[in-house]
Amino acid sequence: MPSIKGPRIEGIDRITYGVEDLDACRRFFADWGLSLVREEADGLDFESLNGCEVRVRRADDPRLPAAVEKEPTVREVVWGVAGTDDLDAVRLALAQQTEVRESDGMLHCTDPNGIGIAFRVSAKRPVEIVGTPTNAWGHAARVDRPAAIYDRAQPVEVGHVVFFTDSLAETTRFYEALGFHLSDRYPGRGHFLRCAARGGHHDLFLLQTPEARRGLNHVAFTVRDIHEVIGGGMQMARCGWETQLGPGRHPISSALFWYFKSPAGGLVEYFADEDVLTESWTPRDFTPSPTLFAEWAIAGGLDGNTRRQKGGG
Ligand SMILES: [Fe+2]
């Protein structure tokens, strides 16, 4: 008997925002490094390098799933699966938990946290993109070749999304039943989940703060390497966008990050060099603290013109 396997969920295929200010979002995501592939009165369609989609719609668009908060926010996360067999497996797993609506080859539903989600056979494109190798002691991976300097970022894809939740345990069970794996946790406070046993540290982070509210924390875009985090962040600073925190480094996941405030709601993050996990990984428990969130970070960001700490002279 072949073992029963869960669906192969590959990652985030599309994020759909409901916003108030389409013009600001057009400038913001173009400066962020996404390609605008469609612009109509009802909204904007952006793509990353591998065809991961970012859709921006008016918050009052009746076709959008309901919002969980008053501010502009993410209205739907579309997850990509490997093939039609995997979509069938997701359909079965979803049917045991919630109501599912099928349209345009997608399975749409609402997770226990109230966030619209959908599944489809992934429409992302394979891309040959390699970040800059590093010359670590004992492993010189870049020989006769200077490291990259980026004038701006071009994100590869959406790597993860983070929501505030008022139902951490129930929402985690929902995603685990679909095949997500727990990577690490703040017991009772936050769960880092990855959509496949083998892959990046987290595709979804659920955060239950003491006030237990629902909402968007941030959408994170994968870039090639630390140099693109820095080059992309300095370009955003030159364009006048405001840093929330960064650059810096997360001890949990090991990733380098830079967060910006987004007119589409919540924050957006450039990140690179996250941990890659397998079936052998054992989830760890942590107690939340500022040093655990960031080993180090620059408050206020770098000035894109002076290339020094903002306000640092
Ligand atoms: Fe993040």
Side-chain angles (χ1 to χ4, degrees):
M1 283 282 286
S3 63
I4 298 168
K5 286 200 172 134
R8 289 168 297 167
I9 302 172
E10 297 188 326
I12 294 168
D13 242 45
R14 176 194 292 168
I15 293 284
T16 303
Y17 287 99
V19 310
E20 301 293 339
D21 189 341
L22 275 182
D23 286 341
C25 292
R26 183 194 301 102
R27 282 186 285 113
F28 184 83
F29 286 117
D31 292 341
W32 190 247
L34 302 182
S35 301
L36 182 62
V37 293
R38 192 191 76 98
E39 177 170 10
E40 305 287 347
D42 67 338
L44 314 163
D45 293 0
F46 290 93
E47 270 189 15
S48 67
L49 285 180
N50 73 355
C52 184
E53 300 173 86
V54 173
R55 291 195 164 182
V56 183
R57 298 289 181 267
R58 296 184 189 281
D60 59 3
D61 189 326
R63 293 166 300 181
L64 293 182
V68 293
E69 57 190 329
K70 285 202 182 70
E71 293 75 26
T73 191
V74 165
R75 303 290 283 269
E76 188 173 63
V77 178
V78 179
W79 296 91
V81 302
T84 52
D85 290 356
D86 302 291
L87 203 59
D88 291 341
V90 170
R91 185 184 290 108
L92 275 178
L94 282 176
Q96 292 169 8
Q97 305 200 79
T98 188
E99 258 178 57
V100 179
R101 184 174 54 82
E102 296 207 37
S103 66
D104 311 327
M106 283 196 234
L107 310 172
H108 299 269
C109 65
T110 306
D111 78 8
N113 194 35
I115 307 294
I117 62 168
F119 293 82
R120 72 175 179 193
V121 175
S122 177
K124 291 193 290 197
R125 307 177 285 264
V127 282
E128 282 187 31
I129 293 170
V130 180
T132 308
T134 56
N135 288 338
W137 182 262
H139 184 66
R142 199 186 70 252
V143 175
D144 293 334
R145 180 185 154 194
I149 292 175
Y150 296 85
D151 293 329
R152 53 176 307 161
Q154 278 187 292
V156 180
E157 63 180 4
V158 174
H160 63 260
V161 62
V162 177
F163 290 107
F164 294 111
T165 181
D166 59 1
S167 50
L168 179 64
E170 184 189 358
T171 306
T172 300
R173 278 198 300 277
F174 173 87
Y175 283 100
E176 285 180 332
L178 299 174
F180 283 62
H181 297 256
L182 182 72
S183 295
D184 283 318
R185 62 181 184 172
Y186 298 116
R189 287 289 297 273
H191 291 169
F192 294 90
L193 299 164
R194 63 191 191 279
C195 64
R198 289 174 175 247
H201 181 271
H202 57 280
D203 302 278
L204 174 67
F205 179 48
L206 300 168
L207 182 60
Q208 183 161 324
T209 54
E211 63 269 29
R213 71 180 184 90
R214 294 176 171 186
L216 171 66
N217 181 278
H218 70 267
V219 174
F221 292 79
T222 316
V223 294
R224 281 161 266 205
D225 48 51
I226 179 182
H227 312 300
E228 195 172 15
V229 172
I230 302 296
M234 287 199 296
Q235 167 67 4
M236 290 298 283
R238 279 191 294 275
C239 291
W241 302 108
E242 190 183 346
T243 289
Q244 189 264 348
L245 188 72
R249 193 179 85 111
H250 291 305
I252 300 175
S253 86
S254 305
L256 280 301
F257 67 78
W258 195 335
Y259 293 95
F260 282 84
K261 296 179 183 176
S262 167
L267 308 169
V268 288
E269 176 189 11
Y270 288 130
F271 78 100
D273 198 21
E274 71 171 334
D275 295 328
V276 172
L277 309 184
T278 70
E279 300 84 350
S280 305
W281 178 256
T282 304
R284 303 165 298 175
D285 285 350
F286 296 100
T287 303
S289 77
T291 50
L292 205 54
F293 177 74
E295 176 208 16
W296 59 270
I298 296 177
L302 302 176
D303 182 306
N305 294 308
T306 65
R307 295 164 184 266
R308 301 293 185 271
Q309 181 183 356
K310 211 167 174 189

